[in-house]
Amino acid sequence: MTMEMQTPFTTSFGTQTHRDLLIVEARSGDRVGYGECVAGGQPFYSEEFTTGCNLMLQEVLLPLLVGREIGHPDEVSEILRPIRRNNMAKAAAEGAVWDLWARHQDVPLASALDDAPRERVEVGLSIGVKETDAELIEAVGTAVDAGYRRVKLKITPGRDLDMLRAVRREFPDVPMMADANSAYTLDDLKLFQAMDDLDLMMIEQPLAHDDIVDHRHLQAQISTPVCLDESVHSIDDARHAIELESCQIINIKIGRVGGLTDAKRVEALCREHGVDVWCGGMLETGVGRAHNVAIAASAGFTLPGDTAPSARYWAEDVIEPEVTMDRGYITVPSGPGLGYTVRGDRLDALTTSSFTIDQDGRSA
Ligand code: OSB
Ligand code: MG
């Protein structure tokens, strides 16, 4: 299914005007849990994409889970471990099981994930590439007025250093960072060294999507902390990056690391090593957004995340109430599971195709 976005979102890999959606429902008795696949409609951010994930779930992942007795959602990642990668598809299924389990235990997902979750999470905004500095400065001003706790500016070759300088001139004190989505190489070292004067909180994924070593060389030569996004798919990737000092901060996206269980493991590793962590976003609808809010409440998530309220992206979300922000904070819901009600009417209206897998693993 497809949802139109409120405003187009431009990154170094293109402009997006709508979101292809894939929602997984996990059922047990009369309870339902929900997960959202965060893969994009095309494989630009990573190799996964919505249609591929749909097939992966239908043919491979869900048949391994349906009809099985699962005592704790941590078991899901173990059951799916023999299947290589496909982390976003795995996380969609695993997230549905976590929600179902938390609802069954009658606890908020945030409490199922952390012993002492925060009551509210700090929110940052990710702002896409704008054609002119004036447009960007206006967007940053709007974000600051709305109370966002930091702004992240997408950069791409040609819209980078001068643009960041212009914004910094206008907003000398706003917590600000840049996200390159892998658009640069070590040949751009001087560009990143020049950014050291801009007091950026961090620079996210400057180099290749699958690199950890070059980021180490970059980090050794700039003072701005490097934050890895695209390069970290597992606890081992995180361990390698920390050992090599390739970054000082890690953006955890539940989908990219294969689910909540592994997201928790990456968080624990980072905490052990004093590495700051925050929750990234993938333009999720309310289902994925609620998962993000739940994990962002965990103690190890020490920096504001890309968990903007629903209205930033959607005219009408698929959950109620929508995710809302009050002066830069989202209150973590206290109801069981995701703590929001998934709107069957919205899902029905948006659904273009669906399948069900029965107890015997048959697909219909
Ligand atoms: O790199 O963090 C990213 C959106 C799609 C794919 C990759 C990224 C992003 C964002 C938006 O930055 C974050 C959000 O959901 O608000
Ligand atoms: Mg990023």
Side-chain angles (χ1 to χ4, degrees):
M1 50 202 194
T2 294
M3 257 166 89
E4 291 302 314
M5 295 173 56
Q6 291 281 52
T7 47
F9 190 75
T10 302
T11 66
S12 57
F13 37 70
T15 297
Q16 200 171 333
T17 57
H18 66 275
R19 188 81 175 94
D20 291 312
L21 282 188
L22 175 53
I23 301 285
V24 176
E25 297 182 1
R27 292 179 185 275
S28 172
D30 55 6
R31 287 198 176 81
V32 192
Y34 291 90
E36 175 170 347
C37 182
V38 302
Q42 295 293 321
F44 297 141
Y45 169 84
S46 79
E47 69 278 17
E48 291 189 89
F49 65 113
T50 317
T51 314
C53 290
N54 195 46
L55 191 61
M56 174 52 59
L57 281 158
Q58 183 166 10
E59 300 273 322
V60 180
L61 303 176
L62 296 179
L64 290 171
L65 296 171
V66 175
R68 232 172 139 137
E69 202 147 307
I70 294 173
H72 189 278
D74 283 344
E75 293 165 27
V76 174
S77 57
E78 290 315 315
I79 296 168
L80 301 181
R81 186 95 43 210
I83 308 302
R84 297 265 158 87
R85 305 186 218 231
N86 289 287
N87 282 357
M88 294 180 184
K90 288 176 178 173
E94 193 242 26
V97 175
W98 268 101
D99 179 29
L100 177 64
W101 184 79
R103 287 180 200 263
H104 194 265
Q105 303 288 312
D106 204 24
V107 295
L109 183 58
S111 306
L113 293 167
D114 195 89
D115 293 341
R118 287 189 192 87
E119 284 173 17
R120 54 182 202 160
V121 299
E122 261 190 299
V123 185
L125 183 63
S126 177
I127 302 179
V129 177
K130 307 280 184 208
E131 268 174 44
T132 64
D133 293 349
E135 279 174 88
L136 181 59
I137 285 166
E138 193 190 326
V140 172
T142 306
V144 170
D145 292 343
Y148 284 99
R149 312 278 305 167
R150 65 109 173 101
V151 292
K152 157 167 141 180
L153 310 181
K154 293 286 188 180
I155 58 171
T156 192
R159 296 291 295 151
D160 42 40
L161 182 60
D162 292 340
M163 176 193 92
L164 292 172
R165 281 186 175 138
V167 177
R168 184 45 100 203
R169 249 195 315 273
E170 206 69 32
F171 303 95
D173 304 317
V174 168
M176 193 167 114
M177 59 175 287
D179 184 359
N181 287 109
S182 306
Y184 299 86
T185 70
L186 279 178
D187 291 342
D188 301 302
L189 175 63
K190 286 203 162 54
L191 181 83
F192 292 111
Q193 285 175 327
M195 286 182 197
D196 277 343
D197 295 334
L198 294 173
D199 190 26
L200 300 179
M201 291 171 77
M202 70 195 89
I203 161 107
E204 183 177 344
Q205 197 69 32
L207 309 179
H209 72 94
D210 52 358
D211 169 79
I212 287 183
V213 175
D214 283 354
H215 280 97
R216 168 201 168 84
H217 295 304
L218 178 65
Q219 182 67 93
Q221 296 175 83
I222 62 174
S223 58
T224 306
V226 169
C227 168
L228 290 180
D229 173 359
E230 279 91 330
S231 298
V232 177
H233 300 273
S234 64
I235 182 100
D236 283 329
D237 287 344
R239 184 171 56 79
H240 296 153
I242 293 169
E243 259 177 51
L244 286 175
E245 300 177 7
S246 306
C247 66
Q248 299 178 37
I249 300 171
I250 292 183
N251 161 342
I252 293 184
K253 291 180 179 168
I254 302 164
R256 203 192 61 232
V257 301
L260 286 163
T261 296
D262 283 296
K264 290 293 299 171
R265 291 188 179 133
V266 174
E267 177 210 1
L269 180 82
C270 289
R271 215 187 305 189
E272 207 179 294
H273 289 86
V275 168
D276 280 309
V277 160
W278 54 278
C279 180
M282 290 289 287
L283 315 176
E284 292 89 345
T285 70
V287 174
R289 218 156 273 281
H291 282 270
N292 288 345
V293 168
I295 193 139
S298 294
F301 285 70
T302 45
L303 295 169
D306 280 343
T307 56
S310 303
R312 150 77 173 163
Y313 291 110
W314 314 115
E316 194 180 357
D317 206 340
V318 301
I319 57 168
E320 64 188 0
E322 299 195 335
V323 177
T324 54
M325 179 177 82
D326 181 20
R327 278 156 291 169
Y329 290 89
I330 290 171
T331 300
V332 180
S334 53
L338 295 180
Y340 298 91
T341 302
V342 177
R343 286 179 52 184
D345 64 319
R346 281 293 284 152
L347 293 187
D348 287 346
L350 290 162
T351 298
T352 46
S353 75
S354 67
F355 63 86
T356 305
I357 297 192
D358 69 19
Q359 296 282 337
D360 306 313
R362 276 189 305 260
S363 184

